[in-house]
Amino acid sequence: MSSAYTRTGTRRTPGTSPRRERAPRPGLLRLPTVGIDIGGTKIAAGVVDGEGRILEQVRTETPDRSKSPKVVEDTITELVLHLADRHDVHAVGIGAAGFVDADRARVLFAPHLSWRNEPLRDALSSRLRLPVVVENDANAAAWAEWRFGAGAGTDQLVMVNLGTGIGGAIVRDGRLERGRYGMAGEFGHMTVVPGGHRCPCGNRGCWEQYSSGNALVREARELAAAESPVAQPLLDRVGGDVAAITGPLVTEAAQQGDSVAVELLQEVGHWLGLGIANLAAALDPERFVIGGGVSAAGELLIGPAREAFRRNLTGRGFRPEAEIVLARLGNEAGLVGAADLARQVARRFRTVKRSRVERRR
């Protein structure tokens, strides 16, 4: 194994749900599959069994965005081959940030990589001689939470991932709702403040500009840069370096009782609840699952979100209210979900051998 890879341990079996988007044949239910989660800085790959358990996981750095798509394909291929040396894997699922077409074959646009209308499924399946499924990373995470995590047992689920921005996904009656063109769930780019903060998408006032990791950091840094005395405890934590203020640092400060950090998370939670109320009006799900790095704040975030949700819910007081819960699977959700979705197209293969793979070096 390359020294660039980092192995991580297995995790405990989460709760299960018997429903699947499409039921595999009985003999395929337990076949191990590989899930790949492609992030901005790391690529994680893991072998996942039919109960959502990660049997083995490896990580490596994401190739620089300026490099060609082939470099990323080479990295994914090596990770799969490394895992296939010790596990009899039968399909590969890729969770990628960006727009994935409705056929789950092409990455139309990836913000962290040089993928533009990239035929990733066919490129990898021809090299690995395995079925490959490409899925949006938020969809993969939502699927994992519905199958094995906080969404188990529900019929209608909406997941909201608060990271750098906001990702989202919908599971309805045991199926992922991808939309006609495969791009459903881009909740972060709903306009909530017309003419508001500029968003990298090109618009102004997008939801993720008010309820995300970037929003939390922006507000904290602006307060500190204004030399507000209430921000002094945050500045003390970073030696006066405003640029060193991060989302995890604000969350840690809030958990330790820093009043301004608590206030900043309440503000993000308020906007989260407002956006969820809008989603409830449109989609009327049974449960909202909140994931992503910002969700590590727990009740400091979810409590204000629930209050804002109830205040802004259409027909409040005269209708059932959706649950708002924290995700359970953490950073592994995308990997587990991608592997489970790949299981639907798995077929029995002999163990993949390196000699069967075209290197294309």
Side-chain angles (χ1 to χ4, degrees):
M1 181 171 71
S2 168
S3 60
Y5 299 161
T6 302
R7 294 181 61 178
T8 59
T10 59
R11 63 177 172 81
R12 292 183 300 169
T13 307
T16 60
S17 169
R19 296 187 298 272
R20 287 170 171 77
E21 188 175 25
R22 185 182 67 188
R25 294 189 300 276
L28 302 182
L29 290 176
R30 292 188 175 276
L31 289 181
T33 53
V34 172
I36 307 283
D37 185 21
I38 304 173
T41 59
K42 298 288 184 183
I43 297 178
V47 179
V48 181
D49 69 12
E51 296 179 342
R53 293 177 297 198
I54 298 176
L55 306 180
E56 183 181 354
Q57 184 178 167
V58 292
R59 294 175 182 268
T60 191
E61 293 184 358
T62 302
D64 186 84
R65 66 190 303 172
S66 66
K67 295 181 179 178
S68 71
K70 178 181 175 296
V71 176
V72 184
E73 293 169 14
D74 290 344
T75 302
I76 294 171
T77 298
E78 286 297 328
L79 289 171
V80 173
L81 289 175
H82 170 74
L83 292 169
D85 281 344
R86 287 176 304 286
H87 303 273
D88 186 17
V89 299
H90 298 267
V92 178
I94 310 289
F99 295 148
V100 177
D101 72 354
D103 293 330
R104 293 185 289 168
R106 291 177 174 267
V107 180
L108 304 179
F109 172 78
H112 303 301
L113 299 166
S114 57
W115 285 341
R116 305 293 184 266
N117 199 29
E118 181 66 24
L120 186 61
R121 182 188 67 187
D122 293 344
L124 288 173
S125 62
S126 67
R127 296 181 67 174
L128 294 169
R129 309 295 195 267
L130 285 171
V132 174
V133 167
V134 181
E135 187 59 82
N136 171 268
D137 60 344
N139 282 350
W143 184 255
E145 291 290 346
W146 180 75
R147 285 273 288 120
F148 308 112
T154 63
D155 293 322
Q156 315 284 339
L157 175 148
V158 170
M159 187 163 183
V160 178
N161 274 324
L162 303 182
T164 301
I166 293 180
I170 306 161
V171 179
R172 185 180 296 275
D173 297 327
R175 297 185 66 86
L176 278 167
E177 293 285 352
R178 299 184 178 89
R180 173 62 182 85
Y181 302 107
M183 301 177 196
E186 291 294 331
F187 307 140
H189 299 290
M190 301 185 302
T191 299
V192 295
V193 181
H197 291 296
R198 176 70 72 180
C199 181
C201 76
N203 293 329
R204 286 186 179 274
C206 292
W207 186 26
E208 68 176 42
Q209 291 304 305
Y210 299 88
S211 185
S212 66
N214 274 356
L216 180 64
V217 171
R218 182 193 66 234
E219 294 299 312
R221 289 179 179 177
E222 286 184 1
L223 193 61
E227 298 183 350
S228 170
V230 300
Q232 191 59 48
L234 285 179
L235 279 170
D236 291 342
R237 288 174 177 265
V238 293
D241 183 1
V242 172
I245 295 175
T246 64
L249 182 139
V250 175
T251 297
E252 180 183 11
Q255 290 169 336
Q256 293 175 0
D258 184 295
S259 59
V260 74
V262 170
E263 181 180 324
L264 289 166
L265 279 169
Q266 287 174 337
E267 182 75 4
V268 170
H270 164 80
W271 285 107
L272 174 60
L274 175 63
I276 290 174
N278 289 338
L279 291 175
L283 302 172
D284 191 30
E286 179 180 352
R287 187 175 299 171
F288 287 97
V289 176
I290 312 302
V294 184
S295 68
E299 284 301 314
L300 290 169
L301 174 78
I302 296 299
R306 291 191 181 111
E307 291 178 11
F309 172 73
R310 295 187 185 107
R311 286 197 306 269
N312 292 280
L313 182 64
T314 302
R316 53 191 175 276
F318 298 96
R319 58 172 290 174
E321 293 184 6
E323 298 175 272
I324 301 175
V325 301
L326 289 167
R328 293 180 188 168
L329 303 185
N331 293 332
E332 296 173 344
L335 185 156
V336 172
D340 197 64
L341 288 165
R343 191 167 289 104
Q344 298 167 14
V345 298
R347 56 183 184 268
R348 291 196 176 277
F349 277 80
R350 292 174 297 166
T351 301
V352 178
K353 299 295 183 184
R354 289 177 179 265
S355 61
R356 298 178 59 208
V357 177
E358 183 181 353
R359 291 297 186 170
R360 298 184 184 176
R361 295 293 186 189

